[in-house]
Amino acid sequence: MANSLGIYFGTSLIALIEVKGKKIIKQINIPRALISGKDLEEKVPEEVKIVAFLKEELRRNKIEAKEAIMSLSGQDMIIRTFETPVLPAGELASVVNFEVKKYIPFKTEDLVSDFQVKFDRANRKNNVLYTGIKKESLNKYLAVVEQLGLKLINIEYGGFSLLRFMRLTNLMQKGIVGVLSMDFSEDEEINFTVVEDGFPLFSRDITLSSVSEDLTRKTEMSMPQIIEKLKTEIRISLDYYNRKFQSRKIQKMLFLCNDEQRHDLELLLKEMLVPAVFVDSHRYIGKARHYSLSFIKCYGTAIMKCIKDNIKVNIISAKSKAFTQKEREIEDQLDFGAFFSDFQVDPKFIAIGVLACLGIWGLGQYQQFPVRHDLDTVISLRPQLPSVGPSATLQSLVDMEQESKNKINALHKAVMQQLYLTDTLDVLPRLIPDDIMLTRINYRKGENSTEVNIDGIVFLGDSDKERKEVNAFLAALKQDPSLSRVFKEMSITYIDHATMEKAEVTKFNLLLKG
């Protein structure tokens, strides 16, 4: 088996591992700060700096592999999971592209993407795993690999590379398993993934530092502060997962971490009543190597060719298919033009054809004359109504009748089922904090209940402060007498991170029930 090279572009370093089968041949770790500080012109693009640095490292370490698999952090990849009805294969792609627009903040046309479907027998639905990357980012990484003289097999999400490494443990082959991985010695994102029989149901990246915090401040955080913040993020992730997959309870949690923090994390997961199993990475990467999450992800990427898993998405194949389809359309257009290239036209045949068409058209007009005369007579005898024209057909009359019924039903529903909340919700502008912006208010009145859904976002540069601001807003709503008189229950249905205009914000939804 030929050597393979795994490349992981992490948040703090670039890791490269050359393997032969599962055996590690060479290992390279390059801090990103070292590349940024390399003595090159400031105006040189980042990918040019990366290529220059990697070429030197590949030459110096005598890397022999000709094929590479690349793994990226969650900052570059888009991973979404959702459900769709069971559909014919020909309709599935268009339905997935339509559905995914609900979950991403930009156009799907700007992405190169692939998806995988797993049929859920219990719910009679399809579970869809969608992965994508912006075309601009993909082209940058493709240019890097091409200039290194390597053939790129696939680009995958770092969390999936980690799952492939976990398959070596034989702890996640069957059932619903959560995987939590972290490395407090690196500025590396924390990955939380839930899989069912190896197929991802849920994935989330956790960053303990906020937008306003730099690395220096993060390293100064005490371990109790880190554990407390991590506990909050894990609780949010578990709450969201349990709401989305109510019938699929996590059977056990596998976690990877530094040996020094193992005890703290075991207590944390035990407190959350989740059966936890610590995975000793040294059993699979060797005792001599210190624990590194970037190394483990890179190794999981490198062994793709010899470790089979249940994740089949391939960004490189998806890009090739899209390019081939475009080439085929161009070839079809060229072949269509070539069809007429040898066609010769005789003016005599054109004249005969024109005369024949004119003769047929004239005969048709002559035969239609008596029928049109009778039709005009019938139309003139119709009763004249302002809303019905003389040319109305039976179908148009039926449609007009149905349209009138729909309008009457809509007016009846608006009058009989309307909900008067103007005075009640008038207090909202006075209770909303300055840092919170409401994006949508939706209300619904049933026979025995009234519900108001409030969506909003908050940006303070700190996820903890943002969550406290949302809770303070909810508390203010509960204390208002006019609201509490109508709505007996007020709660937060979800609160999660999101990216808007390249900034990390907190999105939330409040539910008011009366």
Side-chain angles (χ1 to χ4, degrees):
M1 179 180 291
N3 292 6
S4 294
L5 180 66
I7 307 175
Y8 174 63
F9 283 85
T11 54
S12 61
L13 60 82
I14 301 174
L16 298 92
I17 296 178
E18 184 181 25
V19 298
K20 188 176 187 64
K22 300 178 186 176
K23 183 180 179 182
I24 300 173
I25 306 299
K26 300 282 178 59
Q27 171 191 350
I28 306 171
N29 287 334
I30 308 171
R32 280 187 174 271
L34 188 62
I35 297 177
S36 301
K38 189 172 174 61
D39 187 19
L40 293 173
E41 292 291 335
E42 291 184 0
K43 295 183 179 180
V44 175
E46 182 187 9
E47 55 266 32
V48 175
K49 296 181 181 180
I50 292 175
V51 168
F53 207 98
L54 292 184
K55 272 187 176 181
E56 174 63 23
E57 290 296 317
L58 293 177
R59 183 196 62 78
R60 189 169 62 85
N61 288 275
K62 299 180 180 180
I63 300 296
E64 300 178 358
K66 302 300 180 184
E67 294 182 341
I69 305 101
M70 186 180 295
S71 178
L72 304 176
S73 69
Q75 295 178 354
D76 286 314
M77 299 294 294
I78 297 163
I79 308 298
R80 297 291 185 272
T81 56
F82 50 88
E83 294 179 337
T84 64
V86 179
L87 298 167
E91 301 177 12
L92 193 56
S94 59
V95 170
V96 169
N97 286 329
F98 174 79
E99 186 70 19
V100 78
K101 292 178 181 178
K102 303 177 183 178
Y103 305 99
I104 58 177
F106 37 77
K107 297 179 180 179
T108 55
E109 293 80 3
D110 296 335
L111 301 175
V112 176
S113 61
D114 194 13
F115 67 89
Q116 181 182 347
V117 175
K118 180 184 178 185
F119 177 59
D120 180 7
R121 294 183 180 276
N123 298 315
R124 303 295 299 174
K125 290 184 177 181
N126 282 331
N127 291 325
V128 179
L129 169 64
Y130 180 94
T131 138
I133 182 174
K134 284 189 174 181
K135 292 179 180 178
E136 181 182 356
S137 298
L138 176 60
N139 291 334
K140 180 184 72 174
Y141 288 115
L142 290 177
V144 169
V145 175
E146 181 179 357
Q147 293 180 63
L148 293 177
L150 299 170
K151 179 183 177 182
L152 189 60
I153 304 301
N154 192 11
I155 292 181
E156 67 176 4
Y157 164 54
F160 295 164
S161 305
L162 185 67
L163 293 180
R164 188 176 299 109
F165 171 81
M166 298 296 286
R167 291 185 72 87
L168 297 174
T169 67
N170 294 319
L171 294 173
M172 51 168 281
Q173 305 296 343
K174 295 293 183 181
I176 301 176
V177 181
V179 179
L180 180 65
S181 59
M182 63 210 71
D183 187 348
F184 297 133
S185 65
E186 297 178 353
D187 184 24
E188 181 64 28
E189 62 192 8
I190 296 170
N191 301 107
F192 176 52
T193 308
V194 181
V195 297
E196 182 178 28
D197 300 337
F199 184 85
L201 296 177
F202 172 80
S203 179
R204 182 168 183 251
D205 301 316
I206 300 172
T207 304
L208 293 181
S209 60
S210 64
V211 175
S212 62
E213 292 177 315
D214 56 18
L215 182 59
T216 303
R217 181 176 174 184
K218 179 179 176 182
T219 54
E220 291 176 352
M221 291 174 62
S222 65
M223 186 50 59
Q225 290 175 317
I226 293 176
I227 294 298
E228 189 62 31
K229 194 167 186 178
L230 179 61
K231 184 190 301 184
T232 301
E233 295 292 343
I234 294 175
R235 184 179 290 111
I236 291 173
S237 300
L238 288 173
D239 288 346
Y240 180 82
Y241 171 82
N242 291 328
R243 287 199 310 270
K244 187 175 180 181
F245 300 98
Q246 297 181 7
S247 62
R248 300 179 179 178
K249 299 300 181 183
I250 298 176
Q251 298 166 353
K252 63 181 174 182
M253 182 78 76
L254 309 179
F255 70 95
L256 279 166
C257 68
N258 311 66
D259 290 339
E260 307 85 64
Q261 280 75 49
R262 173 180 172 179
H263 177 69
D264 293 329
L265 290 172
E266 284 178 333
L267 293 178
L268 187 155
L269 293 174
K270 185 177 180 180
E271 178 184 332
M272 295 183 176
L273 303 179
V274 179
V277 177
F278 173 75
V279 177
D280 184 5
S281 61
H282 296 297
R283 292 182 57 187
Y284 311 99
I285 62 176
K287 296 289 184 181
R289 293 184 174 88
H290 72 281
Y291 175 80
S292 167
L293 189 57
S294 299
F295 174 87
I296 292 173
K297 291 180 181 178
C298 188
Y299 179 62
T301 304
I303 60 176
M304 173 184 285
K305 295 174 67 175
C306 62
I307 298 294
K308 301 301 180 183
D309 55 24
N310 295 332
I311 302 175
K312 308 301 180 185
V313 288
N314 191 311
I315 293 294
I316 300 301
S317 296
K319 180 178 175 63
S320 300
K321 289 177 183 177
F323 184 75
T324 303
Q325 179 63 27
K326 186 174 182 180
E327 281 187 325
R328 188 178 296 114
E329 292 174 357
I330 295 174
E331 289 176 358
D332 291 343
Q333 293 174 2
L334 295 175
D335 290 341
F336 182 76
F339 177 78
F340 294 99
S341 61
D342 297 328
F343 189 79
Q344 297 181 356
V345 180
D346 191 330
K348 294 180 181 180
F349 288 107
I350 293 179
I352 294 173
V354 171
L355 291 174
C357 291
L358 290 174
I360 294 172
W361 179 80
L363 179 61
Q365 292 294 316
Y366 175 76
Q367 291 176 340
Q368 290 179 14
F369 180 77
V371 178
R372 286 181 176 175
H373 181 269
D374 294 342
L375 181 60
D376 293 339
T377 302
V378 172
I379 291 175
S380 65
L381 296 176
R382 286 181 174 179
Q384 300 298 316
L385 296 175
S387 60
V388 181
S391 59
T393 62
L394 175 61
Q395 184 59 44
S396 66
L397 295 175
V398 172
D399 292 341
M400 291 175 63
E401 180 186 17
Q402 185 60 44
E403 183 179 356
S404 299
K405 290 181 178 179
N406 292 340
K407 289 181 179 179
I408 293 172
N409 291 336
L411 290 172
H412 176 76
K413 184 177 181 180
V415 173
M416 300 304 295
Q417 299 183 13
Q418 61 184 327
L419 179 64
Y420 297 99
L421 289 175
T422 304
D423 294 336
T424 305
L425 297 182
D426 183 55
V427 301
L428 282 180
R430 296 190 290 275
L431 297 178
I432 299 174
D434 293 338
D435 300 310
I436 289 182
M437 180 176 70
L438 302 187
T439 58
R440 185 179 69 96
I441 298 178
N442 182 39
Y443 65 86
R444 181 177 63 86
K445 181 178 181 182
E447 294 182 359
N448 301 316
S449 64
T450 300
E451 291 186 1
V452 174
N453 270 282
I454 301 176
D455 290 331
I457 60 173
V458 56
F459 173 71
L460 293 171
D462 187 307
S463 59
D464 282 342
K465 293 180 179 178
E466 290 167 354
R467 281 190 292 272
K468 290 179 180 178
E469 189 78 353
V470 174
N471 282 295
F473 179 38
L474 177 63
L477 296 179
K478 290 181 177 179
Q479 293 173 3
D480 186 87
S482 60
L483 287 176
S484 59
R485 184 172 58 254
V486 177
F487 303 103
K488 304 305 180 185
E489 297 181 19
M490 303 183 196
S491 61
I492 300 175
T493 59
Y494 76 82
I495 180 169
D496 203 355
H497 298 302
T499 303
M500 295 184 65
E501 299 296 332
K502 299 183 179 179
E504 293 290 328
V505 302
T506 296
K507 297 177 67 176
F508 64 90
N509 173 267
L510 305 181
L511 177 62
L512 283 60
K513 296 180 67 175

